[in-house]
Amino acid sequence: VIMRASNNNKLRRGALFSLFVTSYTPLFLIVICKQLKEGWEYIHWGGWNKDALNCFFRHFGMSSFLGLVTIIGVIGVLILLYNLEKNLHNGIVAKVVKISNRNSEAIGYIATYIVPFLTSDFSSLFECLMFIAIMVLIYTIYIHSNMILINPFLNLKYSLLEVDYCVVGDPSNEIHDALIITNTKDYKEKVNYNIYQIGFKLYYGKEKK
């Protein structure tokens, strides 16, 4: 039986959300550090009262929210990567005939989507609401594009490759193109990879041993 590439495997909303959150982890960590630095004089126990809670949410509300979201996102991505590794044998065997490294796009991603937020004043409710609204807009675009694999967090261990491949065992030798996220560091052309589809022309994979 010849297994062909298909669009049947789709990442669930939770996985997409986790990937989105971790792609913005550098920004979230910078915002957290920025709020801690600016509100350092307010870091002391003020009791459980209205004034103390108002002070906390004004100076540390956004950083607390982003910290919680980041933890959820990181845990979600670790679970996702574990499941992808476990399901890799359900994918296809592909012979990669051409490879282009796309890791450099993470740098452009940081410059385009992260740096512009660094001057925001997150002690302002208006700025916080605008930030969340923009994040929701970007997330809506993000989950329908190949941006889900352009992720500085993943790039700490994984590489993003643009490849041309043919399915092993397919007599037509038809060439397909795809983006593959892989933890294989010594990637080579003209070798076989196990790849598992996670979206339209998006795959998780590693070199077949």
mmCIF file of all heavy atoms in Angstrom, residues 38-87:
data_model
loop_
_atom_site.group_PDB
_atom_site.id
_atom_site.type_symbol
_atom_site.label_atom_id
_atom_site.label_comp_id
_atom_site.label_asym_id
_atom_site.label_seq_id
_atom_site.Cartn_x
_atom_site.Cartn_y
_atom_site.Cartn_z
ATOM 1 N N GLU A 38 9.869 48.142 36.436
ATOM 2 C CA GLU A 38 9.179 49.414 36.629
ATOM 3 C C GLU A 38 8.356 49.444 37.914
ATOM 4 O O GLU A 38 8.146 50.509 38.498
ATOM 5 C CB GLU A 38 8.280 49.705 35.427
ATOM 6 C CG GLU A 38 9.059 49.958 34.138
ATOM 7 C CD GLU A 38 8.153 50.117 32.921
ATOM 8 O OE1 GLU A 38 6.931 49.834 33.070
ATOM 9 O OE2 GLU A 38 8.650 50.512 31.852
ATOM 10 N N GLY A 39 7.885 48.269 38.362
ATOM 11 C CA GLY A 39 7.046 48.237 39.555
ATOM 12 C C GLY A 39 7.737 47.665 40.772
ATOM 13 O O GLY A 39 7.066 47.243 41.723
ATOM 14 N N TRP A 40 9.078 47.652 40.739
ATOM 15 C CA TRP A 40 9.838 47.006 41.817
ATOM 16 C C TRP A 40 9.487 47.566 43.196
ATOM 17 O O TRP A 40 9.416 46.833 44.178
ATOM 18 C CB TRP A 40 11.335 47.164 41.546
ATOM 19 C CG TRP A 40 12.191 46.393 42.499
ATOM 20 C CD1 TRP A 40 12.911 46.880 43.556
ATOM 21 C CD2 TRP A 40 12.400 44.979 42.498
ATOM 22 N NE1 TRP A 40 13.561 45.858 44.200
ATOM 23 C CE2 TRP A 40 13.263 44.681 43.572
ATOM 24 C CE3 TRP A 40 11.944 43.937 41.679
ATOM 25 C CZ2 TRP A 40 13.676 43.376 43.844
ATOM 26 C CZ3 TRP A 40 12.352 42.645 41.955
ATOM 27 C CH2 TRP A 40 13.209 42.376 43.041
ATOM 28 N N GLU A 41 9.257 48.867 43.279
ATOM 29 C CA GLU A 41 8.970 49.503 44.566
ATOM 30 C C GLU A 41 7.625 49.067 45.146
ATOM 31 O O GLU A 41 7.361 49.271 46.336
ATOM 32 C CB GLU A 41 8.987 51.024 44.411
ATOM 33 C CG GLU A 41 7.937 51.543 43.425
ATOM 34 C CD GLU A 41 8.045 53.028 43.213
ATOM 35 O OE1 GLU A 41 7.719 53.787 44.168
ATOM 36 O OE2 GLU A 41 8.459 53.435 42.110
ATOM 37 N N TYR A 42 6.782 48.443 44.304
ATOM 38 C CA TYR A 42 5.469 48.002 44.776
ATOM 39 C C TYR A 42 5.455 46.527 45.171
ATOM 40 O O TYR A 42 4.409 46.005 45.543
ATOM 41 C CB TYR A 42 4.416 48.235 43.680
ATOM 42 C CG TYR A 42 4.248 49.687 43.297
ATOM 43 C CD1 TYR A 42 4.880 50.196 42.162
ATOM 44 C CD2 TYR A 42 3.473 50.535 44.073
ATOM 45 C CE1 TYR A 42 4.734 51.523 41.805
ATOM 46 C CE2 TYR A 42 3.320 51.870 43.724
ATOM 47 C CZ TYR A 42 3.967 52.356 42.590
ATOM 48 O OH TYR A 42 3.816 53.675 42.248
ATOM 49 N N ILE A 43 6.602 45.869 45.073
ATOM 50 C CA ILE A 43 6.654 44.439 45.399
ATOM 51 C C ILE A 43 6.792 44.269 46.909
ATOM 52 O O ILE A 43 7.896 44.218 47.466
ATOM 53 C CB ILE A 43 7.805 43.732 44.660
ATOM 54 C CG1 ILE A 43 7.635 43.872 43.143
ATOM 55 C CG2 ILE A 43 7.857 42.243 45.033
ATOM 56 C CD1 ILE A 43 8.735 43.222 42.336
ATOM 57 N N HIS A 44 5.700 44.260 47.583
ATOM 58 C CA HIS A 44 5.640 43.946 49.011
ATOM 59 C C HIS A 44 4.200 43.562 49.348
ATOM 60 O O HIS A 44 3.271 43.873 48.607
ATOM 61 C CB HIS A 44 6.102 45.139 49.867
ATOM 62 C CG HIS A 44 5.266 46.368 49.700
ATOM 63 N ND1 HIS A 44 5.546 47.327 48.748
ATOM 64 C CD2 HIS A 44 4.150 46.791 50.348
ATOM 65 C CE1 HIS A 44 4.644 48.291 48.817
ATOM 66 N NE2 HIS A 44 3.778 47.994 49.774
ATOM 67 N N TRP A 45 4.034 42.848 50.441
ATOM 68 C CA TRP A 45 2.716 42.360 50.817
ATOM 69 C C TRP A 45 1.849 43.511 51.319
ATOM 70 O O TRP A 45 2.189 44.208 52.277
ATOM 71 C CB TRP A 45 2.838 41.287 51.896
ATOM 72 C CG TRP A 45 1.515 40.778 52.395
ATOM 73 C CD1 TRP A 45 0.991 40.939 53.634
ATOM 74 C CD2 TRP A 45 0.545 40.027 51.651
ATOM 75 N NE1 TRP A 45 -0.237 40.343 53.728
ATOM 76 C CE2 TRP A 45 -0.547 39.772 52.523
ATOM 77 C CE3 TRP A 45 0.484 39.561 50.344
ATOM 78 C CZ2 TRP A 45 -1.670 39.062 52.117
ATOM 79 C CZ3 TRP A 45 -0.639 38.856 49.954
ATOM 80 C CH2 TRP A 45 -1.690 38.606 50.826
ATOM 81 N N GLY A 46 0.709 43.723 50.665
ATOM 82 C CA GLY A 46 -0.185 44.805 51.044
ATOM 83 C C GLY A 46 -1.498 44.325 51.625
ATOM 84 O O GLY A 46 -2.400 45.127 51.869
ATOM 85 N N GLY A 47 -1.610 43.003 51.826
ATOM 86 C CA GLY A 47 -2.833 42.450 52.383
ATOM 87 C C GLY A 47 -3.884 42.180 51.317
ATOM 88 O O GLY A 47 -3.698 42.493 50.134
ATOM 89 N N TRP A 48 -4.991 41.595 51.761
ATOM 90 C CA TRP A 48 -6.107 41.311 50.850
ATOM 91 C C TRP A 48 -7.135 42.428 50.955
ATOM 92 O O TRP A 48 -8.129 42.328 51.669
ATOM 93 C CB TRP A 48 -6.752 39.972 51.187
ATOM 94 C CG TRP A 48 -5.850 38.797 50.967
ATOM 95 C CD1 TRP A 48 -5.168 38.095 51.904
ATOM 96 C CD2 TRP A 48 -5.537 38.202 49.707
ATOM 97 N NE1 TRP A 48 -4.423 37.097 51.334
ATOM 98 C CE2 TRP A 48 -4.641 37.126 49.968
ATOM 99 C CE3 TRP A 48 -5.906 38.457 48.388
ATOM 100 C CZ2 TRP A 48 -4.114 36.321 48.969
ATOM 101 C CZ3 TRP A 48 -5.383 37.648 47.389
ATOM 102 C CH2 TRP A 48 -4.509 36.599 47.681
ATOM 103 N N ASN A 49 -6.884 43.505 50.288
ATOM 104 C CA ASN A 49 -7.831 44.612 50.293
ATOM 105 C C ASN A 49 -7.900 45.221 48.899
ATOM 106 O O ASN A 49 -7.075 44.941 48.032
ATOM 107 C CB ASN A 49 -7.442 45.672 51.339
ATOM 108 C CG ASN A 49 -6.029 46.204 51.120
ATOM 109 O OD1 ASN A 49 -5.788 46.957 50.175
ATOM 110 N ND2 ASN A 49 -5.082 45.808 51.988
ATOM 111 N N LYS A 50 -8.890 46.062 48.703
ATOM 112 C CA LYS A 50 -9.156 46.624 47.376
ATOM 113 C C LYS A 50 -7.975 47.410 46.833
ATOM 114 O O LYS A 50 -7.587 47.274 45.669
ATOM 115 C CB LYS A 50 -10.404 47.503 47.433
ATOM 116 C CG LYS A 50 -10.810 48.075 46.078
ATOM 117 C CD LYS A 50 -12.077 48.911 46.203
ATOM 118 C CE LYS A 50 -12.462 49.506 44.839
ATOM 119 N NZ LYS A 50 -13.702 50.329 44.949
ATOM 120 N N ASP A 51 -7.383 48.253 47.686
ATOM 121 C CA ASP A 51 -6.264 49.088 47.226
ATOM 122 C C ASP A 51 -5.069 48.232 46.821
ATOM 123 O O ASP A 51 -4.410 48.517 45.807
ATOM 124 C CB ASP A 51 -5.850 50.070 48.328
ATOM 125 C CG ASP A 51 -6.890 51.154 48.551
ATOM 126 O OD1 ASP A 51 -7.697 51.388 47.615
ATOM 127 O OD2 ASP A 51 -6.906 51.747 49.648
ATOM 128 N N ALA A 52 -4.785 47.192 47.608
ATOM 129 C CA ALA A 52 -3.638 46.323 47.318
ATOM 130 C C ALA A 52 -3.866 45.560 46.014
ATOM 131 O O ALA A 52 -2.943 45.426 45.193
ATOM 132 C CB ALA A 52 -3.399 45.348 48.468
ATOM 133 N N LEU A 53 -5.087 45.060 45.825
ATOM 134 C CA LEU A 53 -5.390 44.310 44.605
ATOM 135 C C LEU A 53 -5.359 45.217 43.377
ATOM 136 O O LEU A 53 -4.845 44.826 42.318
ATOM 137 C CB LEU A 53 -6.758 43.634 44.731
ATOM 138 C CG LEU A 53 -6.844 42.483 45.737
ATOM 139 C CD1 LEU A 53 -8.267 41.973 45.863
ATOM 140 C CD2 LEU A 53 -5.914 41.338 45.327
ATOM 141 N N ASN A 54 -5.875 46.439 43.523
ATOM 142 C CA ASN A 54 -5.823 47.396 42.419
ATOM 143 C C ASN A 54 -4.381 47.714 42.043
ATOM 144 O O ASN A 54 -4.030 47.811 40.856
ATOM 145 C CB ASN A 54 -6.556 48.690 42.784
ATOM 146 C CG ASN A 54 -8.068 48.533 42.731
ATOM 147 O OD1 ASN A 54 -8.581 47.643 42.053
ATOM 148 N ND2 ASN A 54 -8.783 49.397 43.438
ATOM 149 N N CYS A 55 -3.537 47.879 43.047
ATOM 150 C CA CYS A 55 -2.121 48.161 42.818
ATOM 151 C C CYS A 55 -1.454 46.980 42.105
ATOM 152 O O CYS A 55 -0.681 47.174 41.153
ATOM 153 C CB CYS A 55 -1.416 48.439 44.147
ATOM 154 S SG CYS A 55 0.358 48.775 43.987
ATOM 155 N N PHE A 56 -1.783 45.769 42.553
ATOM 156 C CA PHE A 56 -1.185 44.572 41.946
ATOM 157 C C PHE A 56 -1.569 44.449 40.475
ATOM 158 O O PHE A 56 -0.702 44.257 39.612
ATOM 159 C CB PHE A 56 -1.635 43.324 42.707
ATOM 160 C CG PHE A 56 -1.223 42.042 42.038
ATOM 161 C CD1 PHE A 56 0.063 41.550 42.168
ATOM 162 C CD2 PHE A 56 -2.125 41.325 41.254
ATOM 163 C CE1 PHE A 56 0.457 40.381 41.535
ATOM 164 C CE2 PHE A 56 -1.752 40.153 40.616
ATOM 165 C CZ PHE A 56 -0.460 39.679 40.768
ATOM 166 N N PHE A 57 -2.852 44.584 40.179
ATOM 167 C CA PHE A 57 -3.293 44.413 38.797
ATOM 168 C C PHE A 57 -2.817 45.555 37.904
ATOM 169 O O PHE A 57 -2.565 45.345 36.712
ATOM 170 C CB PHE A 57 -4.818 44.288 38.745
ATOM 171 C CG PHE A 57 -5.329 42.958 39.204
ATOM 172 C CD1 PHE A 57 -6.079 42.841 40.366
ATOM 173 C CD2 PHE A 57 -5.030 41.801 38.484
ATOM 174 C CE1 PHE A 57 -6.537 41.601 40.795
ATOM 175 C CE2 PHE A 57 -5.487 40.561 38.902
ATOM 176 C CZ PHE A 57 -6.239 40.457 40.063
ATOM 177 N N ARG A 58 -2.656 46.743 38.462
ATOM 178 C CA ARG A 58 -2.184 47.872 37.670
ATOM 179 C C ARG A 58 -0.718 47.698 37.281
ATOM 180 O O ARG A 58 -0.329 47.988 36.144
ATOM 181 C CB ARG A 58 -2.372 49.184 38.432
ATOM 182 C CG ARG A 58 -1.940 50.415 37.617
ATOM 183 C CD ARG A 58 -2.410 51.696 38.264
ATOM 184 N NE ARG A 58 -1.811 51.907 39.576
ATOM 185 C CZ ARG A 58 -2.450 51.799 40.728
ATOM 186 N NH1 ARG A 58 -3.731 51.463 40.732
ATOM 187 N NH2 ARG A 58 -1.846 52.011 41.872
ATOM 188 N N HIS A 59 0.088 47.214 38.206
ATOM 189 C CA HIS A 59 1.525 47.127 37.966
ATOM 190 C C HIS A 59 2.000 45.738 37.537
ATOM 191 O O HIS A 59 3.055 45.626 36.889
ATOM 192 C CB HIS A 59 2.293 47.556 39.226
ATOM 193 C CG HIS A 59 2.095 48.995 39.585
ATOM 194 N ND1 HIS A 59 2.686 50.024 38.894
ATOM 195 C CD2 HIS A 59 1.337 49.569 40.559
ATOM 196 C CE1 HIS A 59 2.330 51.178 39.427
ATOM 197 N NE2 HIS A 59 1.503 50.941 40.436
ATOM 198 N N PHE A 60 1.243 44.701 37.886
ATOM 199 C CA PHE A 60 1.711 43.348 37.584
ATOM 200 C C PHE A 60 0.647 42.457 36.950
ATOM 201 O O PHE A 60 0.868 41.261 36.773
ATOM 202 C CB PHE A 60 2.225 42.663 38.867
ATOM 203 C CG PHE A 60 3.244 43.475 39.611
ATOM 204 C CD1 PHE A 60 2.919 44.075 40.815
ATOM 205 C CD2 PHE A 60 4.520 43.654 39.095
ATOM 206 C CE1 PHE A 60 3.850 44.836 41.503
ATOM 207 C CE2 PHE A 60 5.461 44.404 39.774
ATOM 208 C CZ PHE A 60 5.123 45.000 40.988
ATOM 209 N N GLY A 61 -0.514 43.037 36.617
ATOM 210 C CA GLY A 61 -1.598 42.238 36.054
ATOM 211 C C GLY A 61 -1.225 41.606 34.724
ATOM 212 O O GLY A 61 -1.409 40.397 34.525
ATOM 213 N N MET A 62 -0.667 42.404 33.802
ATOM 214 C CA MET A 62 -0.312 41.869 32.489
ATOM 215 C C MET A 62 0.804 40.847 32.587
ATOM 216 O O MET A 62 0.759 39.792 31.942
ATOM 217 C CB MET A 62 0.097 43.007 31.554
ATOM 218 C CG MET A 62 0.509 42.542 30.159
ATOM 219 S SD MET A 62 -0.789 41.619 29.289
ATOM 220 C CE MET A 62 -1.865 42.949 28.769
ATOM 221 N N SER A 63 1.819 41.112 33.416
ATOM 222 C CA SER A 63 2.925 40.167 33.539
ATOM 223 C C SER A 63 2.459 38.859 34.174
ATOM 224 O O SER A 63 2.921 37.773 33.788
ATOM 225 C CB SER A 63 4.078 40.770 34.345
ATOM 226 O OG SER A 63 3.646 41.181 35.628
ATOM 227 N N SER A 64 1.542 38.933 35.128
ATOM 228 C CA SER A 64 1.007 37.714 35.744
ATOM 229 C C SER A 64 0.219 36.900 34.731
ATOM 230 O O SER A 64 0.355 35.671 34.646
ATOM 231 C CB SER A 64 0.110 38.066 36.938
ATOM 232 O OG SER A 64 0.833 38.749 37.930
ATOM 233 N N PHE A 65 -0.603 37.604 33.938
ATOM 234 C CA PHE A 65 -1.396 36.937 32.903
ATOM 235 C C PHE A 65 -0.496 36.284 31.861
ATOM 236 O O PHE A 65 -0.681 35.118 31.496
ATOM 237 C CB PHE A 65 -2.329 37.954 32.247
ATOM 238 C CG PHE A 65 -3.050 37.438 31.034
ATOM 239 C CD1 PHE A 65 -4.075 36.514 31.153
ATOM 240 C CD2 PHE A 65 -2.690 37.873 29.763
ATOM 241 C CE1 PHE A 65 -4.738 36.030 30.031
ATOM 242 C CE2 PHE A 65 -3.343 37.405 28.640
ATOM 243 C CZ PHE A 65 -4.364 36.472 28.773
ATOM 244 N N LEU A 66 0.509 37.017 31.389
ATOM 245 C CA LEU A 66 1.415 36.479 30.374
ATOM 246 C C LEU A 66 2.268 35.346 30.924
ATOM 247 O O LEU A 66 2.578 34.391 30.203
ATOM 248 C CB LEU A 66 2.317 37.592 29.823
ATOM 249 C CG LEU A 66 1.614 38.704 29.036
ATOM 250 C CD1 LEU A 66 2.623 39.734 28.550
ATOM 251 C CD2 LEU A 66 0.836 38.130 27.860
ATOM 252 N N GLY A 67 2.630 35.439 32.198
ATOM 253 C CA GLY A 67 3.393 34.353 32.810
ATOM 254 C C GLY A 67 2.595 33.063 32.846
ATOM 255 O O GLY A 67 3.111 31.983 32.517
ATOM 256 N N LEU A 68 1.319 33.161 33.230
ATOM 257 C CA LEU A 68 0.451 31.983 33.270
ATOM 258 C C LEU A 68 0.245 31.410 31.876
ATOM 259 O O LEU A 68 0.338 30.193 31.665
ATOM 260 C CB LEU A 68 -0.893 32.364 33.897
ATOM 261 C CG LEU A 68 -1.961 31.261 33.951
ATOM 262 C CD1 LEU A 68 -1.469 30.089 34.792
ATOM 263 C CD2 LEU A 68 -3.278 31.809 34.497
ATOM 264 N N VAL A 69 -0.023 32.292 30.900
ATOM 265 C CA VAL A 69 -0.241 31.852 29.523
ATOM 266 C C VAL A 69 1.019 31.179 28.969
ATOM 267 O O VAL A 69 0.942 30.163 28.270
ATOM 268 C CB VAL A 69 -0.647 33.045 28.628
ATOM 269 C CG1 VAL A 69 -0.583 32.671 27.152
ATOM 270 C CG2 VAL A 69 -2.060 33.503 28.987
ATOM 271 N N THR A 70 2.194 31.728 29.293
ATOM 272 C CA THR A 70 3.453 31.149 28.816
ATOM 273 C C THR A 70 3.663 29.751 29.368
ATOM 274 O O THR A 70 4.077 28.836 28.636
ATOM 275 C CB THR A 70 4.633 32.053 29.209
ATOM 276 O OG1 THR A 70 4.482 33.327 28.573
ATOM 277 C CG2 THR A 70 5.957 31.438 28.781
ATOM 278 N N ILE A 71 3.401 29.566 30.658
ATOM 279 C CA ILE A 71 3.553 28.242 31.270
ATOM 280 C C ILE A 71 2.627 27.231 30.596
ATOM 281 O O ILE A 71 3.038 26.114 30.254
ATOM 282 C CB ILE A 71 3.263 28.318 32.787
ATOM 283 C CG1 ILE A 71 4.362 29.120 33.493
ATOM 284 C CG2 ILE A 71 3.170 26.908 33.391
ATOM 285 C CD1 ILE A 71 4.064 29.423 34.944
ATOM 286 N N ILE A 72 1.372 27.636 30.375
ATOM 287 C CA ILE A 72 0.412 26.758 29.697
ATOM 288 C C ILE A 72 0.896 26.429 28.289
ATOM 289 O O ILE A 72 0.831 25.278 27.837
ATOM 290 C CB ILE A 72 -0.986 27.415 29.652
ATOM 291 C CG1 ILE A 72 -1.559 27.538 31.066
ATOM 292 C CG2 ILE A 72 -1.932 26.614 28.758
ATOM 293 C CD1 ILE A 72 -2.840 28.348 31.137
ATOM 294 N N GLY A 73 1.404 27.442 27.571
ATOM 295 C CA GLY A 73 1.878 27.235 26.206
ATOM 296 C C GLY A 73 3.062 26.297 26.130
ATOM 297 O O GLY A 73 3.110 25.410 25.267
ATOM 298 N N VAL A 74 4.030 26.479 27.028
ATOM 299 C CA VAL A 74 5.224 25.619 27.026
ATOM 300 C C VAL A 74 4.847 24.172 27.326
ATOM 301 O O VAL A 74 5.314 23.240 26.650
ATOM 302 C CB VAL A 74 6.258 26.139 28.044
ATOM 303 C CG1 VAL A 74 7.389 25.119 28.229
ATOM 304 C CG2 VAL A 74 6.837 27.470 27.581
ATOM 305 N N ILE A 75 3.991 23.964 28.319
ATOM 306 C CA ILE A 75 3.542 22.605 28.644
ATOM 307 C C ILE A 75 2.807 21.998 27.457
ATOM 308 O O ILE A 75 3.012 20.831 27.099
ATOM 309 C CB ILE A 75 2.642 22.616 29.899
ATOM 310 C CG1 ILE A 75 3.454 23.006 31.134
ATOM 311 C CG2 ILE A 75 1.989 21.237 30.110
ATOM 312 C CD1 ILE A 75 2.624 23.194 32.385
ATOM 313 N N GLY A 76 1.957 22.798 26.813
ATOM 314 C CA GLY A 76 1.204 22.316 25.651
ATOM 315 C C GLY A 76 2.106 21.904 24.505
ATOM 316 O O GLY A 76 1.882 20.868 23.866
ATOM 317 N N VAL A 77 3.152 22.691 24.231
ATOM 318 C CA VAL A 77 4.071 22.358 23.140
ATOM 319 C C VAL A 77 4.874 21.099 23.466
ATOM 320 O O VAL A 77 5.109 20.263 22.582
ATOM 321 C CB VAL A 77 5.017 23.545 22.854
ATOM 322 C CG1 VAL A 77 6.206 23.100 22.005
ATOM 323 C CG2 VAL A 77 4.256 24.642 22.123
ATOM 324 N N LEU A 78 5.287 20.948 24.712
ATOM 325 C CA LEU A 78 6.025 19.740 25.099
ATOM 326 C C LEU A 78 5.156 18.490 24.918
ATOM 327 O O LEU A 78 5.632 17.457 24.440
ATOM 328 C CB LEU A 78 6.506 19.849 26.550
ATOM 329 C CG LEU A 78 7.570 20.927 26.822
ATOM 330 C CD1 LEU A 78 7.898 20.983 28.311
ATOM 331 C CD2 LEU A 78 8.834 20.666 26.007
ATOM 332 N N ILE A 79 3.884 18.595 25.264
ATOM 333 C CA ILE A 79 2.957 17.478 25.060
ATOM 334 C C ILE A 79 2.765 17.222 23.571
ATOM 335 O O ILE A 79 2.756 16.067 23.111
ATOM 336 C CB ILE A 79 1.605 17.769 25.735
ATOM 337 C CG1 ILE A 79 1.762 17.814 27.263
ATOM 338 C CG2 ILE A 79 0.563 16.712 25.345
ATOM 339 C CD1 ILE A 79 0.515 18.265 27.999
ATOM 340 N N LEU A 80 2.632 18.300 22.787
ATOM 341 C CA LEU A 80 2.469 18.169 21.342
ATOM 342 C C LEU A 80 3.664 17.463 20.716
ATOM 343 O O LEU A 80 3.502 16.531 19.914
ATOM 344 C CB LEU A 80 2.295 19.552 20.713
ATOM 345 C CG LEU A 80 2.356 19.606 19.175
ATOM 346 C CD1 LEU A 80 1.201 18.826 18.564
ATOM 347 C CD2 LEU A 80 2.366 21.049 18.692
ATOM 348 N N LEU A 81 4.875 17.876 21.062
ATOM 349 C CA LEU A 81 6.075 17.266 20.489
ATOM 350 C C LEU A 81 6.187 15.800 20.884
ATOM 351 O O LEU A 81 6.608 14.956 20.079
ATOM 352 C CB LEU A 81 7.320 18.035 20.944
ATOM 353 C CG LEU A 81 7.447 19.465 20.391
ATOM 354 C CD1 LEU A 81 8.603 20.191 21.067
ATOM 355 C CD2 LEU A 81 7.636 19.439 18.876
ATOM 356 N N TYR A 82 5.799 15.482 22.108
ATOM 357 C CA TYR A 82 5.799 14.084 22.550
ATOM 358 C C TYR A 82 4.834 13.257 21.712
ATOM 359 O O TYR A 82 5.161 12.149 21.261
ATOM 360 C CB TYR A 82 5.426 14.013 24.030
ATOM 361 C CG TYR A 82 5.188 12.598 24.534
ATOM 362 C CD1 TYR A 82 6.262 11.770 24.854
ATOM 363 C CD2 TYR A 82 3.890 12.096 24.665
ATOM 364 C CE1 TYR A 82 6.054 10.473 25.304
ATOM 365 C CE2 TYR A 82 3.671 10.806 25.104
ATOM 366 C CZ TYR A 82 4.755 10.001 25.424
ATOM 367 O OH TYR A 82 4.535 8.706 25.858
ATOM 368 N N ASN A 83 3.639 13.807 21.479
ATOM 369 C CA ASN A 83 2.635 13.082 20.690
ATOM 370 C C ASN A 83 3.050 12.938 19.230
ATOM 371 O O ASN A 83 2.799 11.900 18.599
ATOM 372 C CB ASN A 83 1.281 13.789 20.789
ATOM 373 C CG ASN A 83 0.630 13.622 22.157
ATOM 374 O OD1 ASN A 83 0.875 12.642 22.849
ATOM 375 N ND2 ASN A 83 -0.188 14.581 22.538
ATOM 376 N N LEU A 84 3.682 13.966 18.670
ATOM 377 C CA LEU A 84 4.152 13.884 17.286
ATOM 378 C C LEU A 84 5.229 12.818 17.143
ATOM 379 O O LEU A 84 5.235 12.059 16.165
ATOM 380 C CB LEU A 84 4.691 15.246 16.830
ATOM 381 C CG LEU A 84 3.656 16.347 16.639
ATOM 382 C CD1 LEU A 84 4.340 17.662 16.248
ATOM 383 C CD2 LEU A 84 2.630 15.966 15.581
ATOM 384 N N GLU A 85 6.122 12.769 18.108
ATOM 385 C CA GLU A 85 7.170 11.741 18.076
ATOM 386 C C GLU A 85 6.553 10.351 18.172
ATOM 387 O O GLU A 85 6.975 9.423 17.466
ATOM 388 C CB GLU A 85 8.146 11.967 19.240
ATOM 389 C CG GLU A 85 9.340 11.042 19.252
ATOM 390 C CD GLU A 85 10.327 11.335 18.131
ATOM 391 O OE1 GLU A 85 10.342 12.467 17.628
ATOM 392 O OE2 GLU A 85 11.070 10.406 17.756
ATOM 393 N N LYS A 86 5.541 10.211 19.005
ATOM 394 C CA LYS A 86 4.885 8.922 19.190
ATOM 395 C C LYS A 86 4.120 8.501 17.940
ATOM 396 O O LYS A 86 4.036 7.307 17.630
ATOM 397 C CB LYS A 86 3.931 9.007 20.394
ATOM 398 C CG LYS A 86 3.292 7.683 20.783
ATOM 399 C CD LYS A 86 2.516 7.810 22.081
ATOM 400 C CE LYS A 86 1.327 8.745 21.927
ATOM 401 N NZ LYS A 86 0.470 8.773 23.145
ATOM 402 N N ASN A 87 3.580 9.478 17.196
ATOM 403 C CA ASN A 87 2.768 9.171 16.016
ATOM 404 C C ASN A 87 3.550 9.193 14.712
ATOM 405 O O ASN A 87 2.964 9.000 13.646
ATOM 406 C CB ASN A 87 1.601 10.173 15.909
ATOM 407 C CG ASN A 87 0.557 9.969 16.991
ATOM 408 O OD1 ASN A 87 0.228 8.842 17.336
ATOM 409 N ND2 ASN A 87 0.055 11.066 17.533
#
